[in-house]
Amino acid sequence: MIKKDCKGDTDSLLEDVRNDYRAFPEMGIKRCLQCGLCTSNCPAARHSDYDPREMVKMVRDNNLEIMNNPDIWNCFYCYTCGSNCPANNSPCIVNQILRQKILLKGENNARIYEFLAYGYSYLDFGVGSIPSDFFDGLVADFGQMYVELKLNLEDIRQDLGLEDYNLKGEALEEVKSILSSSGFTSRLEEFKRCHES
């Protein structure tokens, strides 16, 4: 796992973001107009206090308070913000970089625990899926419709001519091998141990 950006930390959040290996060369964080299109289209902003426009502004202003703002953990990386940005910025990528910086400092590790179920679903099924840990919450949000979808998903996929969603056999073992050799599996276990201790 890559544990730091290519050029190291600077005294500027903006430069740290621009120097990070995830920041594509054309990313327009310096061209941000503060137009708010990212926020107006953001599902996380619609359902929480997360504000991608404000997050980018704080990074540009080198306001380190953003590193302590719990709202940045509400972004779920749908990339809607970047697809709507007239300056070719990606608040989603900025958010990823900030969260990685926080985690590499050893802070907020409890936040990553919330996502462990997604990691384990990769190990169990070979693909990303909504973990069973979230079933009750989804039923509360969507009602019986979600239960029907879960119960009938394979039949629905079959009717549409789609193969089984989950990997099986050799394909699943290959994905597990890749996840293990890349350090993904051991990292999941490390976060689990940290949370339980």
Side-chain angles (χ1 to χ4, degrees):
M1 178 179 152
I2 297 174
K3 289 201 170 195
K4 65 178 190 172
D5 57 48
C6 294
K7 298 180 184 174
D9 283 346
T10 69
D11 291 332
S12 164
L13 278 177
L14 178 61
E15 290 309 309
D16 287 350
V17 167
R18 293 185 69 225
N19 291 336
D20 192 278
Y21 65 92
R22 287 164 285 209
F24 54 95
E26 305 83 25
M27 192 166 92
I29 189 167
K30 287 183 106 177
R31 293 188 307 271
C32 174
L33 307 167
Q34 289 291 292
C35 67
L37 277 173
C38 55
T39 300
S40 67
N41 289 290
C42 174
R46 192 174 312 125
H47 298 285
S48 75
D49 290 330
Y50 175 62
D51 185 338
R53 183 199 62 78
E54 182 62 24
M55 179 208 41
V56 168
K57 182 179 186 314
M58 291 177 81
V59 168
R60 288 186 51 181
D61 292 345
N62 201 38
N63 185 340
L64 299 178
E65 287 299 311
I66 193 60
M67 303 293 279
N68 299 317
N69 186 329
D71 295 329
I72 67 171
W73 297 91
N74 292 328
C75 169
F76 50 90
Y77 302 159
C78 69
Y79 293 91
T80 302
C81 54
S83 66
N84 288 291
C85 180
N88 200 29
N89 190 17
S90 180
C92 180
I93 291 176
V94 174
N95 185 296
Q96 291 173 31
I97 294 166
L98 292 179
R99 284 157 85 168
Q100 183 73 23
K101 286 174 67 65
I102 292 165
L103 292 171
L104 290 175
K105 286 182 182 177
E107 298 170 4
N108 259 320
N109 283 339
R111 289 288 184 172
I112 202 72
Y113 188 78
E114 299 168 5
F115 297 99
L116 287 182
Y118 287 99
Y120 283 111
S121 75
Y122 278 105
L123 292 173
D124 293 340
F125 306 114
V127 294
S129 62
I130 298 173
S132 57
D133 297 8
F134 298 106
F135 181 79
D136 292 340
L138 288 165
V139 171
D141 289 343
F142 297 105
Q144 188 62 29
M145 180 175 68
Y146 184 73
V147 175
E148 295 297 324
L149 175 67
K150 287 301 279 183
L151 290 174
N152 299 306
L153 184 58
E154 290 308 316
D155 291 336
I156 293 168
R157 291 182 63 80
Q158 193 171 34
D159 290 347
L160 293 171
L162 300 172
E163 295 179 14
D164 190 354
Y165 180 74
N166 299 320
L167 297 181
K168 292 184 173 54
E170 190 177 318
L172 178 58
E173 293 309 312
E174 191 173 316
V175 168
K176 286 182 179 183
S177 174
I178 291 168
L179 293 174
S180 178
S181 62
S182 69
F184 180 87
T185 307
S186 61
R187 191 82 166 139
L188 277 179
E189 292 301 317
E190 179 184 340
F191 278 116
K192 186 177 178 185
R193 277 192 306 277
C194 286
H195 182 76
E196 291 172 347
S197 60

